[in-house]
Amino acid sequence: MFDQIIIKVLLIAAFIIFGLILLRPGGSARNQAIRTITLILLFVAAVFAVLFPGLIDDLARSVGVGRGTDLLLYAFIIVFVGNALTAVRRRRAQDEQITQLARQIALRSPERPQDAQQEGER
């Protein structure tokens, strides 16, 4: 139980950090830069894991995970959940934009009931 405390703390911290980042409003240039740097670091870590699998096993054991493959699975899950949460947030923002655009169009060119009747009579 206590030998896995490090990995449990790291995983929970990662989820909390993802949640806090996603709760912050906006997609500023700073946030995009952080995402880009994170992706580059993940790419470097993936290459490192392929080149030196023994070191990944050692790292896994040092944080309380039995094997390096398990550690990589946990990391993949964190990245996947973060990506899914980002996609949900982006989708929500797009839905809000579409709603605002539809409202603006409806207010600019309203259809009156009498116009609709005249269209039907033609």
Side-chain angles (χ1 to χ4, degrees):
M1 168 84 180
F2 289 110
D3 61 334
Q4 295 179 343
I5 192 75
I6 295 172
I7 190 62
K8 288 180 181 181
V9 169
L10 289 174
L11 290 171
I12 291 169
F15 286 123
I16 290 171
I17 289 169
F18 272 132
L20 292 175
I21 289 171
L22 293 174
L23 288 176
R24 289 182 24 206
S28 67
R30 180 175 182 242
N31 287 345
Q32 290 175 353
I34 289 171
R35 282 189 207 115
T36 302
I37 290 170
T38 303
L39 286 175
I40 291 170
L41 289 175
L42 287 172
F43 176 74
V44 169
V47 170
F48 186 80
V50 170
L51 293 176
F52 306 105
L55 293 177
I56 299 300
D57 280 336
D58 294 340
L59 177 64
R61 281 191 286 283
S62 70
V63 295
V65 178
R67 302 178 303 172
T69 54
D70 293 338
L71 181 64
L72 291 176
L73 176 64
Y74 294 152
F76 174 73
I77 290 170
I78 290 171
V79 170
F80 177 77
V81 168
N83 189 32
L85 292 173
T86 302
V88 167
R89 182 178 180 191
R90 190 176 305 128
R91 173 66 187 257
R92 208 176 292 145
Q94 287 174 344
D95 287 346
E96 288 176 19
Q97 286 178 335
I98 290 170
T99 301
Q100 291 299 325
L101 288 171
R103 286 179 182 159
Q104 288 176 3
I105 290 170
L107 291 173
R108 286 184 185 163
S109 58
E111 268 191 36
R112 295 180 188 92
Q114 57 202 342
D115 293 341
Q117 286 177 347
Q118 290 173 357
E119 288 285 326
E121 292 172 1
R122 289 184 194 172

